[in-house]
Amino acid sequence: MPTMTTVRTPEDWPTTEEQARAVQDELRARVILDEPGPPPGTGRVTGVDVAYDDERDVVAAAAVVLDASSLAVVAEATAVGRVSFPYVPGLLAFREIPTVLAALDALPCPPGLVVCDGYGLAHPRRFGLASHLGVLTGLPTIGVAKNPFTFAHDEPDTPRGSTSALLAGSEEVGRALRTRDGVKPVFVSVGHRVTLAGACAHTLALTPRYRLPETTRRADALCRQALRQTYSV
């Protein structure tokens, strides 16, 4: 079993919407968009995801490292902490980042590219969880979401690998990507230190059998397991 870390919310963590937006504004300026990122299918790739227990105000995070070529699990870690911010659309990263960072920090090896179940630039303030995590850790990050949030897109063509632009007005903030023939697309956006084309290529490399990346599927299962185990001891 992975080690589980118990997390405290940092003392300087934002407590109001105004403070959180100020942090987003400051950190957004540090996002790097002109690096290609690691080649898909090489090195390591790590999925992060969270599960909530709203009644107890607890969040569990998981980080699962895969070998990018074989998709075999290399390492995994979990962390459990208090939800660190109220529910506010556009500020969800503040609810979970301390716990996600703790799970990443508990890994016994470098994570390589980090794949978030959520958004990077495809965010109303162009600074979703993938961008936030990337800036704080310095790691290349991408967001692969299950729905398009508030953005418009045309349906991609039917074959796997087809894409269409995810648009905020005329600005492309991500892409709808078909990972299975004829199956609902996923929504890919850059987090930090990766191109959009690279983010889509990584996503295709991580979806040999299912709609969602293996990183997300494994991290989702592990964070739910961690949440259950928190109350079974």
Side-chain angles (χ1 to χ4, degrees), residues 96-212:
E96 52 202 51
I97 273 186
T99 312
V100 172
L101 286 175
L104 285 170
D105 288 344
L107 291 170
C109 59
L113 176 92
V114 176
V115 182
C116 299
D117 177 29
Y119 308 94
L121 292 183
H123 178 272
R125 297 168 64 79
R126 307 296 180 269
F127 197 70
L129 174 66
S131 298
H132 205 146
L133 264 187
V135 169
L136 291 181
T137 63
L139 296 167
T141 56
I142 67 174
V144 183
K146 301 178 186 74
N147 62 66
F149 208 0
T150 60
F151 301 107
H153 71 286
D154 293 328
E155 276 297 306
D157 290 338
T158 302
R160 166 177 157 87
S162 302
T163 65
S164 63
L166 200 58
L167 295 171
S170 60
E171 178 188 0
E172 185 178 39
V173 295
R175 286 183 190 151
L177 170 66
R178 193 88 69 186
T179 55
R180 313 294 307 144
D181 288 356
V183 172
K184 182 182 173 185
V186 296
F187 300 90
V188 180
S189 56
V190 171
H192 185 59
R193 299 182 59 202
V194 186
T195 63
L196 183 52
C200 289
H202 278 288
T203 304
L204 284 173
L206 291 166
T207 50
R209 296 178 60 197
Y210 300 101
R211 174 184 174 235
L212 296 179

Side-chain angles (χ1 to χ4, degrees), residues 22-41:
V23 170
Q24 285 183 332
D25 289 341
E26 178 192 350
L27 296 181
R28 184 175 54 229
R30 303 186 202 172
V31 173
I32 295 171
L33 300 175
D34 59 356
E35 288 187 14

Side-chain angles (χ1 to χ4, degrees), residues 67-85:
D67 175 271
S69 58
S70 68
L71 302 185
V73 175
V74 175
E76 49 190 29
T78 60
V80 174
R82 292 286 171 196
V83 175
S84 49
F85 197 80

